[in-house]
Amino acid sequence: MDLTQGTFEEKNSRAKKMMLWFGIVSLIMSFAGWTSAFVVSSSREDWLVDFELPNAFIISTVVVLLSSLTFVLAKKALEKNNRQLTTVWLFATLGLGIAFIANQFLGFQEIIDLGYNFTGPTSNVTMSYIYLIAMVHIAHVIVGLVCILIVIYNHFKQKYTAEHMLGLELAATFWHFIDILWVYLFLFLYFVR
């Protein structure tokens, strides 16, 4: 495919999508590094092997999967030029994203209630990794929420149509990525002791 061919709009769209994928690949490499460090560190003598993830993390996983579904429904509604339903699904996605973060912090509270903190005398390397991985992921969810807010703003300004929805598509791609990333991280932390 000759990337120099096409209209300005097509080239602009390809460039923005490519930049997003470069960012996603760099995030994959970062989280691969942290999960690799988790595996390597698990051979330490002070590593917790009998720890179970908080129930709030399970709820977070369900919530984040639902948020991906609502974003897909928002896009499908926009493709059918149903602006009102698009608005409903975008706000549902935003609400579920906020609920995800709230559940993450409930999970942190469950860990603290068990007597483990991020740092200090009541911390250990296992919990520090879990806090680090989850907090960095939450930072990316916050970025995703900002993207959704921008999409909602642009939607109200009627910048998206069934034929022109690049901003919504980019935000959806990033949102689905951070959702899939959390499912991977949850399963990793659940099964790798």
Side-chain angles (χ1 to χ4, degrees):
M1 171 184 213
D2 185 0
L3 296 177
T4 62
Q5 298 298 315
T7 66
F8 173 78
E9 187 177 336
E10 290 170 337
K11 290 190 277 188
N12 186 43
S13 176
R14 279 196 306 265
K16 289 180 178 180
K17 288 178 181 179
M18 185 65 68
M19 290 306 295
L20 175 62
W21 281 106
F22 281 139
I24 286 173
V25 168
S26 71
L27 289 173
I28 290 170
M29 291 170 31
S30 297
F31 280 95
W34 287 315
T35 53
S36 296
F38 186 93
V39 170
V40 170
S41 296
S42 66
S43 63
R44 292 171 49 124
E45 288 182 25
D46 60 345
W47 192 261
L48 290 178
V49 291
D50 58 350
F51 177 78
E52 290 191 25
L53 288 177
N55 289 329
F57 282 11
I58 297 169
I59 295 168
S60 291
T61 305
V62 173
V63 168
V64 85
L65 289 171
L66 286 174
S67 74
S68 265
L69 175 64
T70 57
F71 217 145
V72 167
L73 293 172
K75 184 179 176 196
K76 288 190 180 296
L78 185 60
E79 288 171 348
K80 294 177 182 176
N81 288 315
N82 188 337
R83 300 194 64 76
Q84 187 175 14
L85 194 55
T86 302
T87 302
V88 169
W89 290 125
L90 285 173
F91 275 109
T93 305
L94 181 69
L96 288 167
I98 293 167
F100 171 82
I101 292 174
N103 274 291
Q104 292 287 286
F105 282 103
L106 289 173
F108 294 153
Q109 189 59 51
E110 286 182 44
I111 293 171
I112 291 168
D113 291 344
L114 291 172
Y116 302 110
N117 290 300
F118 180 63
T119 61
T122 60
S123 70
N124 69 33
V125 70
T126 311
M127 291 302 110
S128 293
Y129 271 113
I130 291 172
Y131 278 116
L132 171 74
I133 290 169
M135 288 301 290
V136 172
H137 182 264
I138 287 172
H140 290 88
V141 172
I142 291 169
V143 170
L145 290 174
V146 170
C147 292
I148 292 170
L149 285 170
I150 292 168
V151 166
I152 290 170
Y153 174 80
N154 286 336
H155 175 64
F156 281 126
K157 292 286 194 176
Q158 298 188 5
K159 291 188 177 183
Y160 303 127
T161 65
E163 297 80 28
H164 301 285
M165 61 170 76
L166 178 63
L168 186 137
E169 289 174 342
L170 293 172
T173 300
F174 182 72
W175 191 256
H176 295 318
F177 165 70
I178 58 174
D179 291 358
I180 292 167
L181 178 62
W182 174 253
V183 172
Y184 159 73
L185 292 171
F186 174 78
L187 293 173
F188 175 85
L189 294 171
Y190 187 83
F191 288 109
V192 176
R193 300 286 177 177

